[in-house]
Amino acid sequence: MSLERLHQSATPSTPAVDFDPASGVLSLTGESYPENAFDYFRPLLTWVARFVDEGNTPIVAEIALSYLNTSSIKSVMDLLDLLESAHRRGRQATVRWSYADDNERALEMIEEFKEEVTLPFFIVPVSG
């Protein structure tokens, strides 16, 4: 596979992104409320789509996003759709979404994401 590791550092309004094509682990951590989420997530979605098309390495999305604005929610759903598509084609794809166990709003949002996909999706409470 010719893809290089994808890494973006977190900013106050964007999450840290780390995707290692060798391990298949995609990490998204922090908060996401950029001025233009579609522009922010476009490179990640393009990279993931290419990774899904070119390889067969299992994919594990390790997500710890505590807050997303509306356009970020749409972009994360686009990401989950890519993973769901890979899963339906037989690719091993898993989501593990961590959240502070005292953040009910985050849990509700994560549960809504989980309802939209059939791939293995684990909600992981973390002591706050």
Side-chain angles (χ1 to χ4, degrees), residues 3-75:
L3 289 172
E4 304 227 354
R5 185 178 205 131
L6 176 66
H7 178 80
Q8 293 175 289
S9 297
T11 70
S13 63
T14 61
V17 175
D18 190 41
F19 198 155
D20 179 4
S23 69
V25 175
L26 165 62
S27 173
L28 288 171
T29 57
E31 296 186 347
S32 185
Y33 53 95
E35 190 169 313
N36 189 329
F38 302 111
D39 284 346
Y40 177 79
F41 279 95
R42 185 177 299 118
L44 170 64
L45 295 172
T46 300
W47 197 100
V48 171
R50 190 168 160 215
F51 180 79
V52 165
D53 287 344
E54 290 184 5
N56 59 7
T57 303
I59 305 164
V60 178
E62 295 278 353
I63 302 173
L65 296 173
S66 57
Y67 175 79
L68 294 95
N69 65 3
T70 304
S71 58
S72 292
I73 288 171
K74 169 68 173 111
S75 294

Side-chain angles (χ1 to χ4, degrees), residues 37 68 82 98 115:
L68 294 95
L82 286 169
S98 302
E115 290 175 5

Side-chain angles (χ1 to χ4, degrees), residues 116-128:
E116 297 298 320
V117 295
T118 63
L119 62 111
F121 191 119
F122 302 94
I123 299 173
V124 183
V126 177
S127 294

